[in-house]
Structure formats: structure tokens, C-alpha cells
Amino acid sequence: RQAESLGDRAAELATADTTPGQILGATATPSGPSSLGVLPLGVAGLALGLLVAVPVALTRRTAPTAGIGDVGGLGSINEAAVLDGTRDPRPQDTWDIAALMLKLPSEAPADSGYTLVVDGSVGTQPGTALAEALRRRGRAVRHVDAAVINEGKLARGWPTQRKQSTWGGEVVVIDSSELTSDALKVTLATRCDQVVLARSVDDDALAARRLRGLLRAQGVDVALTVLLPQRGERL
């Protein structure tokens, strides 16, 4: 039975078409290697490395300047005093030192009070923190959130002399952090006695420099810049 089966199979194979195609030429030994060689491969690798490395290097070079980073990063933002609170174990310690560093009159004027504009990152509430620090030093303090004041009133001249007369004898901390307009912040700063900036190391350095430049253009000096840790570290 096996012989018959193999015989049938051999008959099928004998009738099969086994021609693979047309032979174009005889076989021969290659005249040269199939690769490009050491020099072309080296040049190609160098070009590919430059294409990858240059963008990565530029990205790493510009990354630290995207945020403030440290006290050194504040050099181009503020030439006045800088308080580094990134290593303070408690935020209260930072603001107690800030209240000590500010050169405030021993007594606020009885007819107008003494006004401070405090501007910081949204959500940091630097005005509240500074007001509490001043109260701990025995000062009569009023905290005002500029964001609740009508923007039209701010643009027209708030706080007016009439309004300031109601603040007699007080240190008034006006928090401008929640204002969305840098122009309003600068306008408000021109009507107050001192300006305090509070910035995190992960804040936008370009935005901070822009605000500092606008203040300088209007002749407003920043009395103190407070450097705070990253927002995630303060939670």
C-alpha cells in the first residue's frame, strides 16, 4: 500500500511544472561589499546625532528660564530686597521676616493711613499672610482684596483721598493677586506707598519680569520681593 501511495505521488510530481522562471545571468562573486562603508556611515550617524541632540540641548537650555527657579533668577526681576522663604519650615516665618524687613512708619498717618500693594501668584493669598504678620507685630492692619473692587473704580482713581481718610492710623494691605490686568495692578501701585511682590520658584519668570518692567516704567519701586516654594510644596 505504501508503494502504491508513493507511486501515485511520484506521478503527480512528474507532471508538475517546476520551471521557476528565466535565468538572466550566471552567478558571480560580488565585486564589493553591500554596506556603505565606514566613512559614509560615520557621516550619516553624525548628521543624525546633530538633528536629535541640538533640539534637546536647546530645550534643556531654555527650561530653567521658564520659571523663576531661585533667588538668582530674581536678579533681572527686582533689584531691591529679596526674601528667600523657600527653606522656611513654616510660611508664617517667611511673612514675619517680610513684615520686619519692610520699612514702615512707626505710626500710620492719621488722615490717610499707610497703603501697601501686595501681588502674588493666584491662590497664594499673600495679602492675608502679610496682614496677619503685621498684626502679630502689633500694627493696626486692614486687609482689602482689590478683586472685589469694581475695575472701573480702580481705573478712575480708587482709592480716592476720601476713601483713604477712612483708613487713618491703619496699615492697609491691598491684595492685587486676583486682578487679571497688569495695567490695573500698576495703576493701583502708583497710588500706594509700597509694593510687595510674592512669587513662587515655579512661577512664570517672563510674566514676573513684564510686571516688574511695567512698574519701573511708571516710576514705582518694589520694596520687597518674597520668594516662595513651589505651589505643590505649600499645600
Side-chain angles (χ1 to χ4, degrees):
R1 287 194 299 270
Q2 291 179 351
E4 292 177 357
S5 176
L6 292 174
D8 294 339
R9 184 68 178 147
E12 294 177 0
L13 292 174
T15 59
D17 184 9
T18 58
T19 303
Q22 182 181 4
I23 299 176
L24 300 179
T27 59
T29 304
S31 59
S34 60
S35 64
L36 296 178
V38 177
L39 183 60
L41 286 177
V43 173
L46 177 61
L48 181 60
L50 289 175
L51 287 175
V52 175
V54 170
V56 173
L58 291 176
T59 302
R60 293 192 174 185
R61 181 180 178 183
T62 57
T65 61
I68 292 175
D70 54 20
V71 177
L74 291 171
S76 57
I77 298 175
N78 180 23
E79 297 174 355
V82 177
L83 170 60
D84 184 2
T86 57
R87 295 294 178 264
D88 289 339
R90 301 184 309 162
Q92 296 91 331
D93 296 339
T94 301
W95 291 106
D96 283 338
I97 297 173
L100 178 65
M101 292 178 66
L102 289 174
K103 296 180 180 179
L104 302 179
S106 57
E107 292 184 3
D111 57 343
S112 61
Y114 193 86
T115 52
L116 293 169
V117 170
V118 182
D119 186 79
S121 310
V122 174
T124 57
Q125 298 179 328
T128 302
L130 180 57
E132 292 177 352
L134 290 170
R135 291 190 185 102
R136 287 193 290 270
R137 294 181 59 81
R139 303 302 299 261
V141 180
R142 181 188 297 261
H143 176 254
V144 179
D145 185 359
V148 303
I149 309 298
N150 182 277
E151 291 189 357
K153 292 178 64 175
L154 289 173
R156 289 192 297 270
W158 188 94
T160 61
Q161 291 183 349
R162 180 178 178 181
K163 182 64 177 178
Q164 289 177 328
S165 65
T166 65
W167 296 338
E170 296 178 314
V171 176
V172 183
V173 178
I174 303 175
D175 193 339
S176 64
S177 302
E178 300 291 337
L179 291 178
T180 57
S181 170
D182 283 348
L184 284 178
K185 293 180 180 182
V186 174
T187 300
L188 184 60
T190 59
R191 303 178 188 136
C192 296
D193 298 303
Q194 284 192 15
V195 176
V196 177
L197 296 181
R199 290 291 182 269
S200 300
V201 294
D202 55 344
D203 279 341
D204 184 355
L206 294 178
R209 292 190 186 100
R210 178 175 182 268
L211 178 59
R212 184 67 184 88
L214 292 172
L215 290 169
R216 181 180 298 176
Q218 294 298 318
V220 179
D221 291 327
V222 177
L224 179 65
T225 298
V226 182
L227 184 65
L228 303 172
Q230 293 186 3
R231 278 163 280 195
E233 296 178 6
R234 295 199 303 270
L235 298 178

mmCIF file of all heavy atoms in Angstrom, residues 200-233:
data_model
loop_
_atom_site.group_PDB
_atom_site.id
_atom_site.type_symbol
_atom_site.label_atom_id
_atom_site.label_comp_id
_atom_site.label_asym_id
_atom_site.label_seq_id
_atom_site.Cartn_x
_atom_site.Cartn_y
_atom_site.Cartn_z
ATOM 1 N N SER A 200 6.438 82.432 43.422
ATOM 2 C CA SER A 200 6.919 81.076 43.639
ATOM 3 C C SER A 200 8.069 80.778 42.689
ATOM 4 O O SER A 200 8.189 81.407 41.634
ATOM 5 C CB SER A 200 5.794 80.067 43.404
ATOM 6 O OG SER A 200 4.715 80.289 44.286
ATOM 7 N N VAL A 201 8.896 79.806 43.069
ATOM 8 C CA VAL A 201 10.011 79.442 42.204
ATOM 9 C C VAL A 201 9.523 78.817 40.902
ATOM 10 O O VAL A 201 10.256 78.769 39.918
ATOM 11 C CB VAL A 201 10.963 78.468 42.922
ATOM 12 C CG1 VAL A 201 11.647 79.149 44.098
ATOM 13 C CG2 VAL A 201 10.227 77.219 43.399
ATOM 14 N N ASP A 202 8.274 78.322 40.873
ATOM 15 C CA ASP A 202 7.733 77.744 39.645
ATOM 16 C C ASP A 202 6.809 78.702 38.910
ATOM 17 O O ASP A 202 6.093 78.297 38.005
ATOM 18 C CB ASP A 202 7.003 76.425 39.939
ATOM 19 C CG ASP A 202 5.906 76.582 40.989
ATOM 20 O OD1 ASP A 202 5.909 77.606 41.694
ATOM 21 O OD2 ASP A 202 5.055 75.679 41.108
ATOM 22 N N ASP A 203 6.815 79.973 39.292
ATOM 23 C CA ASP A 203 6.026 80.970 38.564
ATOM 24 C C ASP A 203 6.668 81.278 37.216
ATOM 25 O O ASP A 203 7.857 81.033 36.998
ATOM 26 C CB ASP A 203 5.908 82.265 39.376
ATOM 27 C CG ASP A 203 4.823 82.166 40.438
ATOM 28 O OD1 ASP A 203 3.964 81.278 40.312
ATOM 29 O OD2 ASP A 203 4.840 82.960 41.389
ATOM 30 N N ASP A 204 5.892 81.856 36.358
ATOM 31 C CA ASP A 204 6.363 82.248 35.030
ATOM 32 C C ASP A 204 7.301 83.450 35.182
ATOM 33 O O ASP A 204 6.870 84.548 35.549
ATOM 34 C CB ASP A 204 5.166 82.594 34.146
ATOM 35 C CG ASP A 204 5.571 82.906 32.718
ATOM 36 O OD1 ASP A 204 6.785 82.952 32.444
ATOM 37 O OD2 ASP A 204 4.683 83.104 31.888
ATOM 38 N N ALA A 205 8.581 83.247 34.882
ATOM 39 C CA ALA A 205 9.562 84.319 35.043
ATOM 40 C C ALA A 205 9.307 85.461 34.065
ATOM 41 O O ALA A 205 9.503 86.627 34.403
ATOM 42 C CB ALA A 205 10.976 83.775 34.864
ATOM 43 N N LEU A 206 8.877 85.145 32.853
ATOM 44 C CA LEU A 206 8.629 86.189 31.862
ATOM 45 C C LEU A 206 7.494 87.098 32.308
ATOM 46 O O LEU A 206 7.563 88.318 32.159
ATOM 47 C CB LEU A 206 8.308 85.556 30.505
ATOM 48 C CG LEU A 206 9.445 84.786 29.836
ATOM 49 C CD1 LEU A 206 8.973 84.166 28.526
ATOM 50 C CD2 LEU A 206 10.640 85.696 29.588
ATOM 51 N N ALA A 207 6.436 86.500 32.867
ATOM 52 C CA ALA A 207 5.313 87.307 33.347
ATOM 53 C C ALA A 207 5.742 88.200 34.512
ATOM 54 O O ALA A 207 5.326 89.360 34.612
ATOM 55 C CB ALA A 207 4.152 86.400 33.760
ATOM 56 N N ALA A 208 6.591 87.659 35.389
ATOM 57 C CA ALA A 208 7.059 88.446 36.526
ATOM 58 C C ALA A 208 7.938 89.610 36.063
ATOM 59 O O ALA A 208 7.833 90.729 36.573
ATOM 60 C CB ALA A 208 7.827 87.554 37.498
ATOM 61 N N ARG A 209 8.809 89.353 35.091
ATOM 62 C CA ARG A 209 9.664 90.428 34.569
ATOM 63 C C ARG A 209 8.817 91.492 33.864
ATOM 64 O O ARG A 209 9.123 92.685 33.931
ATOM 65 C CB ARG A 209 10.696 89.854 33.602
ATOM 66 C CG ARG A 209 11.732 88.974 34.271
ATOM 67 C CD ARG A 209 12.859 88.644 33.308
ATOM 68 N NE ARG A 209 13.782 87.697 33.900
ATOM 69 C CZ ARG A 209 13.774 86.400 33.643
ATOM 70 N NH1 ARG A 209 12.905 85.918 32.787
ATOM 71 N NH2 ARG A 209 14.642 85.594 34.208
ATOM 72 N N ARG A 210 7.786 91.047 33.192
ATOM 73 C CA ARG A 210 6.913 92.010 32.497
ATOM 74 C C ARG A 210 6.257 92.953 33.497
ATOM 75 O O ARG A 210 6.241 94.174 33.301
ATOM 76 C CB ARG A 210 5.850 91.255 31.698
ATOM 77 C CG ARG A 210 4.840 92.158 30.976
ATOM 78 C CD ARG A 210 3.911 91.321 30.122
ATOM 79 N NE ARG A 210 2.975 92.152 29.401
ATOM 80 C CZ ARG A 210 1.773 92.478 29.846
ATOM 81 N NH1 ARG A 210 1.374 92.040 31.023
ATOM 82 N NH2 ARG A 210 0.973 93.245 29.130
ATOM 83 N N LEU A 211 5.707 92.406 34.590
ATOM 84 C CA LEU A 211 5.077 93.249 35.602
ATOM 85 C C LEU A 211 6.107 94.165 36.240
ATOM 86 O O LEU A 211 5.839 95.351 36.457
ATOM 87 C CB LEU A 211 4.417 92.371 36.666
ATOM 88 C CG LEU A 211 3.754 93.122 37.825
ATOM 89 C CD1 LEU A 211 2.667 94.062 37.311
ATOM 90 C CD2 LEU A 211 3.183 92.148 38.853
ATOM 91 N N ARG A 212 7.292 93.639 36.515
ATOM 92 C CA ARG A 212 8.343 94.466 37.121
ATOM 93 C C ARG A 212 8.741 95.601 36.175
ATOM 94 O O ARG A 212 8.956 96.735 36.613
ATOM 95 C CB ARG A 212 9.566 93.594 37.441
ATOM 96 C CG ARG A 212 10.670 94.363 38.170
ATOM 97 C CD ARG A 212 10.200 94.775 39.557
ATOM 98 N NE ARG A 212 11.210 95.582 40.211
ATOM 99 C CZ ARG A 212 11.306 96.898 40.095
ATOM 100 N NH1 ARG A 212 10.448 97.551 39.326
ATOM 101 N NH2 ARG A 212 12.236 97.564 40.740
ATOM 102 N N GLY A 213 8.809 95.312 34.874
ATOM 103 C CA GLY A 213 9.150 96.350 33.903
ATOM 104 C C GLY A 213 8.075 97.420 33.806
ATOM 105 O O GLY A 213 8.384 98.612 33.680
ATOM 106 N N LEU A 214 6.808 97.017 33.891
ATOM 107 C CA LEU A 214 5.718 97.996 33.848
ATOM 108 C C LEU A 214 5.749 98.894 35.077
ATOM 109 O O LEU A 214 5.521 100.106 34.974
ATOM 110 C CB LEU A 214 4.365 97.275 33.758
ATOM 111 C CG LEU A 214 4.085 96.536 32.441
ATOM 112 C CD1 LEU A 214 2.814 95.709 32.566
ATOM 113 C CD2 LEU A 214 3.973 97.526 31.288
ATOM 114 N N LEU A 215 6.034 98.315 36.229
ATOM 115 C CA LEU A 215 6.129 99.121 37.448
ATOM 116 C C LEU A 215 7.276 100.121 37.342
ATOM 117 O O LEU A 215 7.129 101.291 37.707
ATOM 118 C CB LEU A 215 6.326 98.206 38.666
ATOM 119 C CG LEU A 215 5.133 97.345 39.078
ATOM 120 C CD1 LEU A 215 5.552 96.308 40.106
ATOM 121 C CD2 LEU A 215 4.005 98.210 39.631
ATOM 122 N N ARG A 216 8.404 99.654 36.840
ATOM 123 C CA ARG A 216 9.554 100.541 36.720
ATOM 124 C C ARG A 216 9.272 101.669 35.737
ATOM 125 O O ARG A 216 9.686 102.815 35.947
ATOM 126 C CB ARG A 216 10.772 99.744 36.276
ATOM 127 C CG ARG A 216 12.039 100.580 36.143
ATOM 128 C CD ARG A 216 13.206 99.732 35.696
ATOM 129 N NE ARG A 216 13.510 98.691 36.661
ATOM 130 C CZ ARG A 216 14.437 97.760 36.463
ATOM 131 N NH1 ARG A 216 15.112 97.728 35.329
ATOM 132 N NH2 ARG A 216 14.669 96.849 37.394
ATOM 133 N N ALA A 217 8.563 101.360 34.645
ATOM 134 C CA ALA A 217 8.243 102.384 33.654
ATOM 135 C C ALA A 217 7.371 103.493 34.242
ATOM 136 O O ALA A 217 7.435 104.645 33.782
ATOM 137 C CB ALA A 217 7.541 101.749 32.456
ATOM 138 N N GLN A 218 6.589 103.164 35.248
ATOM 139 C CA GLN A 218 5.743 104.164 35.901
ATOM 140 C C GLN A 218 6.406 104.770 37.132
ATOM 141 O O GLN A 218 5.755 105.497 37.883
ATOM 142 C CB GLN A 218 4.403 103.526 36.298
ATOM 143 C CG GLN A 218 3.552 103.104 35.117
ATOM 144 C CD GLN A 218 3.155 104.271 34.238
ATOM 145 O OE1 GLN A 218 2.789 105.336 34.722
ATOM 146 N NE2 GLN A 218 3.254 104.079 32.925
ATOM 147 N N GLY A 219 7.677 104.475 37.337
ATOM 148 C CA GLY A 219 8.398 105.048 38.461
ATOM 149 C C GLY A 219 8.052 104.437 39.804
ATOM 150 O O GLY A 219 8.262 105.076 40.841
ATOM 151 N N VAL A 220 7.528 103.209 39.803
ATOM 152 C CA VAL A 220 7.139 102.536 41.044
ATOM 153 C C VAL A 220 8.240 101.558 41.435
ATOM 154 O O VAL A 220 8.621 100.687 40.655
ATOM 155 C CB VAL A 220 5.804 101.787 40.870
ATOM 156 C CG1 VAL A 220 5.427 101.063 42.159
ATOM 157 C CG2 VAL A 220 4.702 102.753 40.457
ATOM 158 N N ASP A 221 8.758 101.694 42.641
ATOM 159 C CA ASP A 221 9.790 100.795 43.141
ATOM 160 C C ASP A 221 9.154 99.670 43.952
ATOM 161 O O ASP A 221 8.194 99.893 44.706
ATOM 162 C CB ASP A 221 10.786 101.543 44.023
ATOM 163 C CG ASP A 221 11.630 102.522 43.215
ATOM 164 O OD1 ASP A 221 11.917 102.218 42.040
ATOM 165 O OD2 ASP A 221 11.972 103.591 43.746
ATOM 166 N N VAL A 222 9.687 98.484 43.798
ATOM 167 C CA VAL A 222 9.237 97.345 44.592
ATOM 168 C C VAL A 222 10.039 97.324 45.889
ATOM 169 O O VAL A 222 11.269 97.207 45.869
ATOM 170 C CB VAL A 222 9.418 96.032 43.815
ATOM 171 C CG1 VAL A 222 9.024 94.841 44.674
ATOM 172 C CG2 VAL A 222 8.588 96.054 42.534
ATOM 173 N N ALA A 223 9.352 97.444 47.005
ATOM 174 C CA ALA A 223 10.046 97.493 48.288
ATOM 175 C C ALA A 223 10.630 96.138 48.673
ATOM 176 O O ALA A 223 11.704 96.067 49.271
ATOM 177 C CB ALA A 223 9.087 97.974 49.381
ATOM 178 N N LEU A 224 9.936 95.050 48.316
ATOM 179 C CA LEU A 224 10.379 93.722 48.737
ATOM 180 C C LEU A 224 9.777 92.673 47.797
ATOM 181 O O LEU A 224 8.611 92.768 47.423
ATOM 182 C CB LEU A 224 9.936 93.432 50.176
ATOM 183 C CG LEU A 224 10.310 92.069 50.766
ATOM 184 C CD1 LEU A 224 11.819 91.926 50.888
ATOM 185 C CD2 LEU A 224 9.650 91.868 52.126
ATOM 186 N N THR A 225 10.604 91.711 47.422
ATOM 187 C CA THR A 225 10.122 90.542 46.685
ATOM 188 C C THR A 225 10.297 89.318 47.572
ATOM 189 O O THR A 225 11.393 89.064 48.067
ATOM 190 C CB THR A 225 10.888 90.343 45.370
ATOM 191 O OG1 THR A 225 10.681 91.478 44.530
ATOM 192 C CG2 THR A 225 10.411 89.103 44.646
ATOM 193 N N VAL A 226 9.221 88.582 47.780
ATOM 194 C CA VAL A 226 9.243 87.395 48.626
ATOM 195 C C VAL A 226 9.227 86.169 47.732
ATOM 196 O O VAL A 226 8.316 85.996 46.913
ATOM 197 C CB VAL A 226 8.036 87.371 49.585
ATOM 198 C CG1 VAL A 226 8.095 86.142 50.487
ATOM 199 C CG2 VAL A 226 8.002 88.646 50.427
ATOM 200 N N LEU A 227 10.258 85.330 47.870
ATOM 201 C CA LEU A 227 10.348 84.115 47.072
ATOM 202 C C LEU A 227 9.751 82.960 47.865
ATOM 203 O O LEU A 227 10.181 82.665 48.980
ATOM 204 C CB LEU A 227 11.810 83.814 46.737
ATOM 205 C CG LEU A 227 12.060 82.620 45.820
ATOM 206 C CD1 LEU A 227 11.478 82.878 44.439
ATOM 207 C CD2 LEU A 227 13.551 82.329 45.711
ATOM 208 N N LEU A 228 8.765 82.296 47.280
ATOM 209 C CA LEU A 228 8.047 81.216 47.945
ATOM 210 C C LEU A 228 8.384 79.876 47.297
ATOM 211 O O LEU A 228 8.778 79.821 46.137
ATOM 212 C CB LEU A 228 6.531 81.454 47.857
ATOM 213 C CG LEU A 228 6.046 82.785 48.436
ATOM 214 C CD1 LEU A 228 4.577 82.995 48.105
ATOM 215 C CD2 LEU A 228 6.265 82.826 49.942
ATOM 216 N N PRO A 229 8.240 78.760 48.033
ATOM 217 C CA PRO A 229 8.483 77.443 47.426
ATOM 218 C C PRO A 229 7.428 77.123 46.368
ATOM 219 O O PRO A 229 6.476 77.878 46.163
ATOM 220 C CB PRO A 229 8.392 76.475 48.625
ATOM 221 C CG PRO A 229 7.578 77.208 49.636
ATOM 222 C CD PRO A 229 7.876 78.665 49.458
ATOM 223 N N GLN A 230 7.614 76.016 45.694
ATOM 224 C CA GLN A 230 6.664 75.610 44.672
ATOM 225 C C GLN A 230 5.278 75.467 45.268
ATOM 226 O O GLN A 230 5.121 75.131 46.438
ATOM 227 C CB GLN A 230 7.088 74.287 44.043
ATOM 228 C CG GLN A 230 8.374 74.368 43.241
ATOM 229 C CD GLN A 230 8.694 73.075 42.520
ATOM 230 O OE1 GLN A 230 7.934 72.126 42.570
ATOM 231 N NE2 GLN A 230 9.839 73.039 41.869
ATOM 232 N N ARG A 231 4.282 75.708 44.431
ATOM 233 C CA ARG A 231 2.910 75.684 44.923
ATOM 234 C C ARG A 231 2.529 74.320 45.490
ATOM 235 O O ARG A 231 1.791 74.225 46.460
ATOM 236 C CB ARG A 231 1.959 76.090 43.801
ATOM 237 C CG ARG A 231 1.869 77.606 43.661
ATOM 238 C CD ARG A 231 1.280 78.005 42.346
ATOM 239 N NE ARG A 231 2.297 77.938 41.280
ATOM 240 C CZ ARG A 231 2.135 78.495 40.107
ATOM 241 N NH1 ARG A 231 1.051 79.174 39.824
ATOM 242 N NH2 ARG A 231 3.077 78.401 39.181
ATOM 243 N N GLY A 232 3.055 73.260 44.901
ATOM 244 C CA GLY A 232 2.768 71.941 45.432
ATOM 245 C C GLY A 232 3.343 71.715 46.822
ATOM 246 O O GLY A 232 2.764 71.034 47.652
ATOM 247 N N GLU A 233 4.501 72.334 47.100
ATOM 248 C CA GLU A 233 5.148 72.174 48.406
ATOM 249 C C GLU A 233 4.422 72.957 49.492
ATOM 250 O O GLU A 233 4.557 72.645 50.668
ATOM 251 C CB GLU A 233 6.601 72.639 48.325
ATOM 252 C CG GLU A 233 7.464 71.811 47.391
ATOM 253 C CD GLU A 233 8.886 72.344 47.318
ATOM 254 O OE1 GLU A 233 9.192 73.269 48.085
ATOM 255 O OE2 GLU A 233 9.673 71.839 46.512
#
